Amino acid sequence: FVNQVNYIFDNNGNVIVKNILHYENLSDEFHSLMKKYGLSDLELPNKQSGGVYTDTNSLEKKMTYRELDEESIRIINNFAKPDFERLGYTMVEKKFAEDYSLEATVSNLH
């Protein structure tokens, strides 16, 4: 696995990509990007029908981030610390608070 910051920044900390899309807003940001380049007819599949959505009513319920235990959270924090720090995401210590936001606090890295 590779941290996301390794795709975004060079060894000197300079941004090396033109566009950064956030997973939590991927559909909207992808649509805006395609519109910017005159490709408005291109769309991402809906999360629910595209296979990336956790269907809580399904018999094959998948685990969500809120169900991570403390050890899993610690492992993720240790690995992804550069991503959390550089991209503006909040690390969780032990459990996700009810008001935890998946949104990044840094929206423009340039």
Side-chain angles (χ1 to χ4, degrees):
F1 296 103
V2 177
N3 290 83
Q4 297 302 300
V5 294
N6 294 344
Y7 294 107
I8 299 170
F9 301 97
D10 66 15
N11 291 336
N12 297 319
N14 300 310
V15 176
I16 56 173
V17 295
K18 287 185 179 181
N19 302 288
I20 298 170
L21 306 181
H22 302 87
Y23 182 76
E24 61 272 19
N25 298 313
L26 188 57
S27 294
D28 291 340
E29 291 180 19
F30 182 83
H31 177 72
S32 295
L33 182 64
M34 294 303 101
K35 188 175 180 181
K36 175 181 174 180
Y37 288 101
L39 301 168
S40 297
D41 55 330
L42 293 177
E43 293 184 17
L44 290 177
N46 181 295
K47 285 182 183 179
Q48 285 86 350
S49 63
V52 239
Y53 185 76
T54 301
D55 181 0
T56 57
N57 296 318
S58 171
L59 294 176
E60 298 177 31
K61 181 180 176 188
K62 296 182 177 113
M63 187 173 143
T64 71
Y65 69 92
R66 291 195 179 277
E67 298 170 88
L68 293 170
D69 62 20
E70 287 183 34
E71 177 67 8
S72 298
I73 291 170
R74 185 188 64 72
I75 291 168
I76 292 167
N77 283 345
N78 286 338
F79 174 77
K81 185 176 181 177
D83 292 337
F84 284 113
E85 292 175 346
R86 297 293 303 270
L87 302 176
Y89 291 96
T90 304
M91 281 199 286
V92 172
E93 292 298 319
K94 296 181 180 190
K95 279 302 218 184
F96 288 86
E98 286 301 316
D99 63 346
Y100 179 81
S101 174
L102 294 174
E103 301 284 325
T105 57
V106 175
S107 60
N108 186 358
L109 299 172
H110 294 282

